[in-house]
């Protein structure tokens, strides 16, 4: 409650042996956490308490959750797992998947499109809320682990081998950049005054390549 200066634990379930992999709050009170072995938890009190939920019981790892337009939510995960909720998470349905490998991230784009990414550098884009998908081709096969939608249709994705992919057209095309460390990058954020901060095996750093800074 103090912008990250201090922290207190509000949930722990070590007996479940299901690591939590992503968290999303759709407003100040209502949030979800997803994780391994179909883990899904819901909070309606700003994260103070969490209740276990179930999707469709497929036991797959859920790696990422994102909010789409309106009350839509999306989940991406292991072995081509894709879900959508049209009512802020009360009910879920499985979406067709263009790839049977794992997805590690999902982003909502400024043009209301959806972008999914993951194993072996696979990226797919949907213009119809996940009903159909188009592949996005890059020159990289490095697995993509994290990403963020920036501004004005710009997107940054990061992954293994120091891979940094930048799009300036809402994910239709990407320019490939390589972090000099060549270490795995797990996440990326936009800094307040511009530029990107990346996080991974080598710790955290600000990108030095001016071409990679949106």
């Amino acid at each position: 409650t103090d912008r990250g200066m201090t922290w207190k634990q509000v949930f722990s379930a070590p007996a479940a042996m299901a690591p939590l992999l992503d968290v999303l709050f759709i407003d100040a009170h209502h949030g979800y956490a997803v994780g391994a072995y179909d883990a899904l938890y819901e909070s309606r009190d700003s994260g103070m308490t969490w209740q276990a939920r179930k999707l469709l019981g497929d036991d797959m790892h859920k790696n990422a959750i994102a909010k789409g337009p309106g009350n839509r939510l999306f989940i991406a995960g292991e072995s081509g797992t894709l879900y959508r909720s049209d009512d802020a998470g009360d009910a879920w349905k499985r979406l067709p998947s263009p790839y049977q490998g794992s997805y590690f991230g999902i982003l909502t784009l400024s043009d209301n499109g959806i972008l999914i990414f993951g194993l072996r550098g696979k990226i797919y884009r949907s213009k119809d809320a996940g009903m159909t998908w188009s592949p996005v081709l890059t020159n990289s096969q490095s697995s993509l682990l994290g990403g963020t939608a920036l501004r004005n249709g710009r997107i940054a994705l990061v992954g293994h081998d120091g891979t940094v992919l930048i799009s300036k057209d809402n994910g239709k095309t990407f320019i490939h950049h390589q972090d000099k460390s060549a270490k795995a990058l797990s996440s990326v954020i936009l800094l307040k005054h511009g530029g990107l901060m990346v996080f991974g095996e080598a710790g955290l750093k600000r990108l030095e390549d001016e071409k990679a800074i949106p």
Side-chain angles (χ1 to χ4, degrees):
T1 57
D2 56 7
R3 298 188 178 189
M5 296 302 296
T6 61
W7 295 84
K8 65 178 179 180
Q9 188 178 75
V10 294
F11 177 84
S12 179
M17 299 183 68
L20 298 177
L21 302 172
D22 200 11
V23 63
L24 169 75
F25 272 80
I26 58 179
D27 59 37
H29 305 287
H30 191 188
Y32 292 93
V34 296
Y37 305 111
D38 201 37
L40 174 65
Y41 293 89
E42 181 180 19
S43 174
R44 291 184 177 270
D45 57 6
S46 301
M48 294 304 299
T49 61
W50 295 85
Q51 289 74 44
R53 290 274 309 275
K54 279 291 183 182
L55 288 176
L56 300 180
D58 61 10
D59 204 36
M60 294 292 183
H61 299 343
K62 308 301 185 288
N63 295 324
I65 182 170
K67 186 180 186 305
N71 289 322
R72 283 179 171 162
L73 302 178
F74 295 85
I75 288 176
E78 179 186 22
S79 298
T81 297
L82 293 172
Y83 288 101
R84 189 183 79 202
S85 172
D86 296 324
D87 53 11
D90 287 340
W92 295 85
K93 65 180 179 181
R94 193 186 305 273
L95 293 174
S97 177
Y99 176 57
Q100 296 309 306
S102 293
Y103 302 114
F104 299 127
I106 183 167
L107 296 175
T108 300
L109 309 177
S110 60
D111 63 357
N112 292 331
I114 303 296
L115 194 79
I116 52 177
F117 54 90
L119 200 65
R120 297 183 61 81
K122 299 291 186 180
I123 306 173
Y124 296 90
R125 194 177 185 276
S126 176
K127 298 187 293 184
D128 55 8
M131 296 309 298
T132 61
W133 299 91
S134 299
V136 179
L137 301 180
T138 71
N139 293 323
S140 174
Q141 291 190 348
S142 296
S143 293
L144 299 167
L145 306 178
T148 185
L150 303 169
R151 55 194 173 199
N152 301 325
R154 300 191 177 206
I155 300 164
L157 304 179
V158 297
H160 285 170
D161 307 313
T163 297
V164 180
L165 299 178
I166 302 293
S167 174
K168 298 181 180 181
D169 55 8
N170 266 311
K172 296 174 184 176
T173 61
F174 282 87
I175 300 171
H176 183 267
H177 299 270
Q178 199 82 20
D179 181 62
K180 294 178 182 178
S181 70
K183 299 287 187 180
L185 301 173
S186 60
S187 58
V188 55
I189 61 171
L190 177 67
L191 298 175
K192 182 178 180 180
H193 300 295
L196 299 175
M197 185 74 78
V198 294
F199 303 78
E201 283 184 321
L204 64 138
K205 64 181 294 185
R206 181 169 178 161
L207 291 185
E208 299 296 336
D209 185 350
E210 293 184 359
K211 294 184 297 182
I213 298 177

